[in-house]
Amino acid sequence: MNTNTNTSSNSNSNSTSEIRAGNASDAPAAAASAAGGGACGSCSGGWGGDPSQLRSFRWFGAEGLRTFSHQARARQLGLLPQEHLGKPVIAILNTWSDINPCHQHLRERAEAVKRGVWQAGGFPLEFPVATLSETYQKPTPMLYRNLLAMECEEILRSYPVDGAVLMGGCDKTTPALLMGAVSADLPALFVPAGPMLRGHWRGRTLGSGTDMWKYWDEHRAGRLDDAALAELQAGLARSPGTCMTMGTASTMTAAAEAMGVTLPGASAVPAVDSAHTRMCAAAGIHAVSLVRDNLRIRQLITREAIEDAITTVIALGGSTNAVIHLTALARRCQIPLTLHDFDRISRTTPVLADLQPGGRYLMEDFYYAGGLPALLARLAQAGLLHTRRRTATHPTLADQLTGATSHNDDVIRPLDNPLSPEGGLAVLHGNLAPDGAVIKHLAADPALHTHTGPAHVFDDYATMQATINDPALGLTKDHVLILRGAGPLGGPGMPEYGMLPIPDYLLRQGVTDMVRLSDARMSGTSYGTCVLHIAPESHIGGPLAHIRTGDLITLDIPHRTLTHHIDPTELDHRKTTWTPPPPPYQRGYGHLYQHHITQADTGCDFTFLAQPGHNPEPHAG
């Protein structure tokens, strides 16, 4: 960011007053102006007077046959030389598809990004990349997060682009795009898809996911008939956009904003609000200025930025999936990060956002209350953020938060009235989880925070689905339900199976929560006393593999322990007689996946993607 130019200084001064005086929905566009975006008046029809400094110049500006060929093919595309030569080329990586309802609007929003790029004197190129639909992709889009990360990295490396705008939002797309971008390490800005509108049904406000689980259980318990369920189905998700609860999608886009790789306020803008279109155009403008200043994404995602993202996730009551994704992103940046860091930060961070599933409100409420800038300002006031670090739009995070304020203290709580005085995320260890496990205890029944009960073990998800409601199992509210075979390898892909259903007959008795353990993940919209990400997983012989039905299990959240009560001699016998299950894939991407995937505590990345080292720039001549 070139804050030494007169143009940037004047723009910064004007936009600060605009953010203070204007509507919150105008803040993203104002922030882009503050950061030196605009019509690129210093470019004088070229690129800073020296287009040879652009990465894309190697394709379009050098002498020789290859350059002649590249320019000839540009003419084939219908492009005039003055449209693109000597201008920064901005790649727009778009995860839109016909089957991804979270990204249904991104085809149109890409046009707004292009408009901003052209306005700033750049040249946009849109690239369709893999779409990871949490709703439809099976066995889980988590299986393909690293595939999208690889695609993102290699597109940015192999094509004549100088910077990037990353368009995503559905759960795995945000971490995948960021992981790929930091590995390619070009100037890049993330554009969140935005949350959908709040749901409505019979005078009630609905949160996607969270209320789906709630009312489905009401239906299973016989308290909601088929007609009511059909009405609810039509009112649960009523616009494009990601889940409007603080599920994994909003958790990860908020983490991206906290790290400083979006425009300020971008993560909470509703998908169908006109402010979202304006934000996209502003992002296109600012992407050009990132290239001008050669501000690369690795310069922004530092150790301090990662810690601030964790603090933000905790203060939002965010999804447990953030633990895996932020760990993977940190490892891509060669930043050491462990589960201990999450637990340490959780113990000292209050929960300030009263958002579902742990609270009452939805993302629209959060946006109109001031959005993430308001929450970050309160965390900064408490000294919980690294405010001197740089962001994509401002010299420091402190500068970025100037003027940010909350407009609704019920939604974004003051520091002296938090939803919880400490975070709702706990990391557990013990003989059942030697490498760790996580639980979102803010969304669990407090009566179960310390619990000992007999295990009932399900070897796989299909068996659990087929038998969970059989009264012959003799399950009671005191049982500890255990699902194994659902980890990174066993799932395969670590599906969101961790919110095991409570048996129908117990629901009818009024049981609303039970202790549930697995090596799976859980939807960020879910709730309950669910211990997740147990590592190492059962598929590779982790402790879950050796539990048998009837064994006593103790969950102790206050002491952060998870204990299998078993005689050591008996445990040794079970280990020696255990047979590893066969690998699920014999060829293709799955075969690559199962040979290189890491465990949950290290981010479920591929070993060859997380390892240090640099790849050469391609020769374009």
Side-chain angles (χ1 to χ4, degrees), residues 531-582:
V531 178
L532 311 159
H533 310 182
I534 293 177
E537 66 173 307
S538 61
H539 197 86
I540 61 172
L544 276 184
H546 311 303
I547 299 177
R548 293 183 182 175
T549 294
D551 291 353
L552 285 180
I553 307 295
T554 294
L555 168 66
D556 188 343
I557 295 174
H559 292 95
R560 302 296 200 261
T561 57
L562 190 62
T563 306
H564 181 198
H565 299 282
I566 185 172
D567 180 79
T569 303
E570 171 62 17
L571 180 59
D572 287 342
H573 171 71
R574 295 183 188 181
K575 287 180 177 180
T576 57
T577 57
W578 177 76
T579 302

Side-chain angles (χ1 to χ4, degrees), residues 495-546:
E496 292 182 340
Y497 293 163
M499 187 181 171
L500 279 71
I502 295 170
D504 289 350
Y505 56 88
L506 292 182
L507 285 173
R508 289 191 288 269
Q509 295 172 20
V511 176
T512 58
D513 200 2
M514 295 174 69
V515 176
R516 290 158 275 183
L517 315 181
S518 72
D519 44 15
R521 296 178 302 108
M522 182 173 80
S523 168
T525 66
S526 301
Y527 50 86
T529 310
C530 302
V531 178
L532 311 159
H533 310 182
I534 293 177
E537 66 173 307
S538 61
H539 197 86
I540 61 172
L544 276 184
H546 311 303

Side-chain angles (χ1 to χ4, degrees), residues 284-542:
I285 292 171
H286 190 63
V288 176
S289 67
L290 290 178
V291 175
R292 179 190 65 205
D293 299 327
N294 195 28
L295 183 57
R296 296 169 182 260
I297 193 168
R298 285 282 290 271
Q299 295 171 258
L300 301 175
I301 301 183
T302 61
R303 170 79 190 196
E304 290 77 14
I306 292 284
E307 289 193 351
D308 286 352
I310 297 171
T311 300
T312 301
V313 167
I314 299 299
L316 289 167
S319 168
T320 51
N321 285 309
V323 177
I324 290 177
H325 298 318
L326 289 175
T327 299
L329 182 61
R331 287 168 61 85
R332 286 292 185 102
C333 298
Q334 306 307 310
I335 297 169
L337 191 71
T338 68
L339 294 181
H340 170 75
D341 294 304
F342 289 87
D343 196 72
R344 169 180 57 82
I345 293 172
S346 182
R347 289 177 184 268
T348 59
T349 302
V351 179
L352 300 181
D354 193 352
L355 298 171
Q356 291 189 29
R360 298 172 292 168
Y361 295 100
L362 298 171
M363 288 301 295
E364 268 186 273
D365 306 302
F366 183 66
Y367 172 64
Y368 293 119
L372 199 68
L375 181 130
L376 293 178
R378 288 192 165 162
L379 293 174
Q381 179 186 349
L384 295 173
L385 299 178
H386 301 87
T387 57
R388 299 181 65 181
R389 62 181 175 86
R390 192 171 191 176
T391 71
T393 59
H394 287 79
T396 69
L397 178 61
D399 294 329
Q400 179 170 308
L401 298 178
T402 299
T405 186
S406 172
H407 310 305
N408 188 331
D409 286 350
D410 286 337
V411 179
I412 303 174
R413 301 283 195 94
L415 291 166
D416 59 1
N417 184 31
L419 192 67
S420 171
E422 68 172 52
L425 179 72
V427 174
L428 311 174
H429 286 86
N431 67 348
L432 250 183
D435 293 336
V438 301
I439 184 170
K440 188 176 180 178
H441 59 285
L442 186 65
D445 185 343
L448 295 174
H449 285 193
T450 302
H451 178 81
T452 298
H456 187 90
V457 180
F458 298 98
D459 283 325
D460 55 69
Y461 189 69
T463 301
M464 183 275 296
Q465 282 187 306
T467 62
I468 187 72
N469 294 315
D470 185 353
L473 295 182
L475 297 175
T476 70
K477 64 182 179 62
D478 296 321
H479 270 86
V480 176
L481 303 181
I482 293 177
L483 173 67
R484 58 188 173 208
L489 275 171
M494 206 178 179
E496 292 182 340
Y497 293 163
M499 187 181 171
L500 279 71
I502 295 170
D504 289 350
Y505 56 88
L506 292 182
L507 285 173
R508 289 191 288 269
Q509 295 172 20
V511 176
T512 58
D513 200 2
M514 295 174 69
V515 176
R516 290 158 275 183
L517 315 181
S518 72
D519 44 15
R521 296 178 302 108
M522 182 173 80
S523 168
T525 66
S526 301
Y527 50 86
T529 310
C530 302
V531 178
L532 311 159
H533 310 182
I534 293 177
E537 66 173 307
S538 61
H539 197 86
I540 61 172

